[in-house]
Amino acid sequence: MAQATSSREQLRHRLGIPPNFRVPDDLNGRPVRNVPLPAANKPTDVEFFKITVRGERKPNAAFLKDHFFREGRLTEDQALFIVERTTELLSREPNLVDVKSPVTSERARRIS
């Protein structure tokens, strides 16, 4: 086999890229150009929190939606805040359904 001379040909040979496949000119660019670049910075507390009418600090949902859409990341404290508040909220919610007795099931009727 003839020795590959250019870096593009070496890459094509090493990766087993077929000869009819076009290797992009810019190998460091975004594969899909219309996808925005990821968020480069973690949000500040001013961006992350929103003060409600009642004076409570809550995560800014509109900002976070956009930030996560752009593959953004949070600080550890911000992520823990969300996890802890979610745990607190869900632990207050009832997780049992009250069902009046007698309770029967079709399967139990067929077995007996």
Side-chain angles (χ1 to χ4, degrees), residues 38-82:
N41 299 324
K42 294 178 182 176
T44 63
D45 283 347
V46 172
E47 295 170 322
F48 179 79
F49 289 107
K50 183 177 184 180
I51 307 298
T52 65
V53 177
R54 291 186 273 172
E56 300 171 327
R57 279 181 13 148
K58 291 189 175 182
N60 185 346
F63 171 79
L64 288 175
K65 178 182 174 184
D66 180 57
H67 186 68
F68 289 144
F69 183 77
R70 294 183 300 125
E71 305 171 41
R73 298 190 173 147
L74 300 177
T75 65
E76 184 175 349
D77 289 339
Q78 292 167 345
L80 286 173
F81 179 84
I82 291 174

Side-chain angles (χ1 to χ4, degrees), residues 10-24:
Q10 290 174 7
L11 180 66
R12 182 182 298 276
H13 177 69
R14 186 171 0 125
L15 297 177
I17 298 173
N20 59 348
F21 181 79
R22 184 183 168 279
V23 177

Side-chain angles (χ1 to χ4, degrees), residues 80-96:
L80 286 173
F81 179 84
I82 291 174
V83 170
E84 289 168 357
R85 289 292 300 261
T86 304
T87 302
E88 177 186 321
L89 177 70
L90 293 177
S91 65
R92 289 187 298 204
E93 293 287 324
N95 57 5
L96 296 176

